[in-house]
Amino acid sequence: MNIPKKIKSICCIGAGYVGGPTMAIIAQKCPHIKVTVVDLNAEKIERWNSDNLDDLPVYEPGLKEVVAEARGRNLFFSTEVEKELEYAEMIFMSVNTPTKTYGKGKGMAADLKYIESSARTIAKVAKTDKIVVEKSTIPIKTAQAVNKILSNTNNGVKFQVLSNPEFLAEGTAIKDLNNPDRVLIGGEQTEDGLRAIEALSDIYREWIPNDRILQTNIWSSELSKLVANAFLAQRISSINAISALCDKTGADVDEVAKAIGMDSRIGPKFLKASVGFGGSCFQKDILNLVYIAKSYGLDEVADYWQNVIKINDYQKNRFADSIITSLNNTLSGKKIAFLGWAFKKDTNDTRESAAIYVADILMEDKADIFVFDPKVTKERMFEDIDYLQTRSPEENRKYLNYGDNPYDAMKGAFAIAVITEWDEFKDYDWQKIYDNMNKPAYIFDGRNILDHKKLKGIGFEVNAIGK
Ligand code: NAD
Ligand code: UGA
């Protein structure tokens, strides 16, 4: 197979939260490589090409500066998927791999239809040999399926499939891409496979120290991505489970987290109790892991990981329930303000945000919810709640409201629920907010980010997670 010594052209399929920022960084660090990101979604591509850098489809601190530097030089965004794939030497598949919503594996397995259609398109249009990189998170053994599709082209073109999962977290994507803990590259342990691994390693070596580039066999790489997310989510569910015990006993979950995190074997990160983890990946990837374990007959393993999700659902319900109980089990006609709708700070992404589920529960009790989020749009918020199909869109618009500024969103409220840990929430004029609320004025801090002592001094009833 023809594998160039130095890759000069890359095409990435999927201009989403991973494809966009990842390719922007590769283009910035490797000016000698032409990087084209393609997507079927024309509106998304138009926004990636927008002159207004505040209109990029992904909000990430530092992203617009990188795009400004590389776009038009060696970074391009296009809807011409087939044309761009023809001659690219390396192709990244960064398409979405959501949980299946139909058929076999419904609600558990990863839906690989976008991976498969990408592979078919590559097979159809490829005119030169290519390295195909799985950047999306996929079940173990996906490379086998991709290989099968690619090997049926009849045009003599050869392929090497690599697994190169992405570990960036949203909100810190640029920082993570600039300085990753490690880059994982798995490939076939054959001469061509090893040369392909080297070609991709060379790209990362432009800015990442060699000892952080980990080369493995392809199955280890595919599986490690699911396992990394499962372990991270497990830590959150572990501390959230303990937060419930803290609520009953007078222990303080932040103090417990600090005490255990100082043990170097445990470590301090990912021990922040919260209203529950959200985001497009943790739940989907654990469900996928559970499904894979089940499909190999490993029921105990599947049950073990399923409980991470069970505790996460429990935590969201527990948080909503504490609001309902504190307000005398009657929310009808009461205004409840939500600070935050995004699944974490510094992103406009709302996929699987705890906010959606907490709002849904409170709306069943006929609460009037007013949401303020610095980066999430009103349209996005309504799409999220309509997607659940608990109520009609008209009813959703009766109970869910969007505040253009935080002070209006909280004015006249009976309670405030802090859902996202945006830094700016800490700097609000809490005395002014208290003065304009119904009394008693409640704060439910789902992130433990506010100064609870100060708030109590003002007169708030503070209800925090695990405090
Ligand atoms: P996304 O939904 O933001 O982006 C995926 C894009 O792929 C969409 O814009 C979609 O239009 C496009 N697409 C789908 N099929 C296509 C096709 N056949 N041709 C062209 N474009 C196509 O998803 P994302 O958040 O970027 O995630 C992508 C993958 O990366 C997933 O597997 C996810 O699990 C994984 N991942 C995500 C993150 C994250 O922080 N979001 C981090 C690490 C890994
Ligand atoms: C996560 C992983 O951290 C990334 O390494 C991975 O690449 C990515 O998933 C993915 O595969 O998509 P992300 O979901 O973007 O990244 O963000 P995280 O920082 O992991 O946060 C996930 C959720 O957990 C958020 O709702 C966050 O608020 C919550 N969280 C996080 C806690 O509740 N407590 C914590 O201590 C940490």
Side-chain angles (χ1 to χ4, degrees):
M1 174 178 168
N2 179 29
I3 296 175
K5 266 236 153 326
K6 257 197 172 318
I7 297 290
K8 287 193 287 305
S9 60
I10 288 177
C11 181
C12 172
I13 311 177
Y17 282 88
V18 169
T22 309
M23 292 304 125
I25 289 288
I26 291 184
Q28 185 198 37
K29 307 289 185 195
C30 309
H32 57 282
I33 302 179
K34 180 185 172 211
V35 180
T36 308
V37 192
V38 294
D39 204 296
L40 298 171
N41 183 330
E43 192 222 319
K44 211 176 255 190
I45 291 298
E46 200 177 308
R47 288 178 64 192
W48 277 113
N49 283 323
S50 170
D51 288 336
N52 177 4
L53 288 167
D54 289 320
D55 191 39
L56 298 180
V58 171
Y59 170 72
E60 276 292 340
L63 173 64
K64 66 180 179 184
E65 289 78 5
V66 181
V67 171
E69 184 185 331
R71 198 178 60 187
R73 179 188 73 187
N74 65 325
L75 175 66
F76 304 92
F77 294 91
S78 167
T79 50
E80 295 196 76
V81 180
E82 297 198 357
K83 179 176 156 255
E84 296 298 337
L85 289 175
E86 283 179 14
Y87 294 103
E89 293 165 335
M90 183 176 275
I91 296 170
F92 284 79
M93 295 197 286
S94 275
V95 295
N96 35 332
T97 49
T99 305
K100 262 185 105 175
T101 53
Y102 53 88
K104 191 177 170 195
K106 178 180 172 178
M108 301 286 291
D111 192 341
L112 295 180
K113 68 180 175 194
Y114 304 110
I115 288 282
E116 200 174 313
S117 69
S118 303
R120 286 189 195 285
T121 310
I122 297 169
K124 185 176 111 191
V125 304
K127 295 217 161 51
T128 51
D129 291 357
K130 294 179 195 316
I131 297 170
V132 175
V133 184
E134 298 171 338
K135 184 52 106 177
S136 300
T137 304
I138 33 79
I140 181 166
K141 293 288 180 187
T142 299
Q144 206 169 38
V146 171
N147 250 322
K148 212 167 188 175
I149 295 171
L150 295 177
S151 58
N152 279 306
T153 58
N154 296 327
N155 55 11
V157 172
K158 293 201 177 63
F159 298 94
Q160 267 300 320
V161 178
L162 298 179
S163 160
N164 173 222
E166 184 48 61
F167 295 102
L168 69 80
E170 288 179 32
T172 52
I174 297 303
K175 199 170 128 261
D176 296 340
L177 288 164
N178 271 321
N179 191 20
D181 286 348
R182 79 316 205 174
V183 167
L184 179 57
I185 303 175
E188 250 179 36
Q189 302 299 296
T190 57
E191 200 192 319
D192 279 351
L194 295 172
R195 280 167 59 220
I197 292 176
E198 273 306 302
L200 181 54
S201 301
D202 266 347
I203 293 175
Y204 287 115
R205 283 186 194 114
E206 293 288 339
W207 77 99
I208 295 163
N210 193 37
D211 58 3
R212 280 195 243 160
I213 300 173
L214 199 60
Q215 304 181 341
T216 65
N217 84 34
I218 196 151
W219 316 128
S220 307
S221 173
E222 286 185 340
L223 184 59
S224 295
K225 172 63 198 180
L226 292 184
V227 175
N229 274 359
F231 269 59
L232 290 168
Q234 180 205 39
R235 280 176 70 96
I236 302 169
S237 277
S238 297
I239 199 70
N240 280 345
I242 297 305
S243 76
L245 193 54
C246 290
D247 279 335
K248 296 276 186 212
T249 55
D252 177 323
V253 74
D254 284 337
E255 291 178 353
V256 174
K258 188 168 182 192
I260 64 166
M262 284 174 77
D263 184 326
S264 60
R265 294 168 301 175
I266 296 175
K269 293 182 184 165
F270 263 69
L271 285 179
K272 187 77 191 143
S274 68
V275 52
F277 61 73
S280 62
C281 293
F282 279 172
Q283 173 160 310
K284 136 178 114 62
D285 293 345
I286 294 174
L287 287 171
N288 190 358
L289 191 66
V290 169
Y291 183 75
I292 293 167
K294 272 201 165 103
S295 69
Y296 285 102
L298 303 172
D299 289 349
E300 288 79 0
V301 178
D303 289 349
Y304 175 78
W305 289 106
Q306 181 77 50
N307 280 320
V308 172
I309 293 175
K310 200 168 156 193
I311 289 289
N312 200 46
D313 290 339
Y314 164 76
Q315 189 75 347
K316 288 182 269 189
N317 283 308
R318 206 168 74 81
F319 184 75
D321 193 57
S322 71
I323 298 178
I324 300 173
T325 314
S326 300
L327 297 182
N328 304 321
N329 292 321
T330 156
L331 297 190
S332 179
K334 289 184 179 166
K335 178 172 175 177
I336 314 265
F338 271 33
L339 286 182
W341 189 262
F343 81 97
K344 63 184 285 198
K345 72 172 179 179
D346 292 336
T347 178
N348 61 347
D349 195 349
T350 62
R351 291 177 288 183
E352 291 298 328
S353 176
I356 306 166
Y357 297 94
V358 174
D360 193 49
I361 296 170
L362 301 187
M363 286 162 76
E364 279 303 274
D365 251 288
K366 302 195 185 306
D368 282 328
I369 296 175
F370 277 71
V371 175
F372 173 75
D373 188 289
K375 287 290 172 198
V376 176
T377 62
K378 185 177 178 174
E379 293 70 29
R380 180 76 256 162
M381 180 187 79
F382 283 123
E383 270 172 43
D384 290 337
I385 202 79
D386 289 346
Y387 186 76
L388 295 185
Q389 297 188 346
T390 313
R391 279 162 248 86
S392 67
E394 293 71 40
E395 244 190 313
N396 280 338
R397 280 148 190 79
K398 195 170 137 197
Y399 294 114
L400 187 62
N401 306 272
Y402 184 83
D404 286 322
N405 79 71
Y407 291 92
D408 286 348
M410 291 184 278
K411 196 172 181 174
F414 285 73
I416 296 163
V418 182
I419 307 281
T420 316
E421 68 277 31
W422 286 100
D423 288 332
E424 66 173 63
F425 298 164
K426 296 180 209 160
D427 301 328
Y428 288 169
D429 182 344
W430 286 100
Q431 181 67 56
K432 184 173 158 195
I433 291 164
Y434 179 79
D435 292 343
N436 286 323
M437 281 178 71
N438 260 293
K439 309 294 177 322
Y442 288 89
I443 287 193
F444 296 87
D445 189 351
R447 296 288 181 170
N448 293 344
I449 54 163
L450 300 179
D451 183 341
H452 298 159
K453 212 164 143 197
K454 184 176 139 202
L455 292 172
K456 282 180 190 158
I458 293 174
F460 279 105
E461 297 279 337
V462 179
N463 193 313
I465 299 270
K467 296 272 180 185

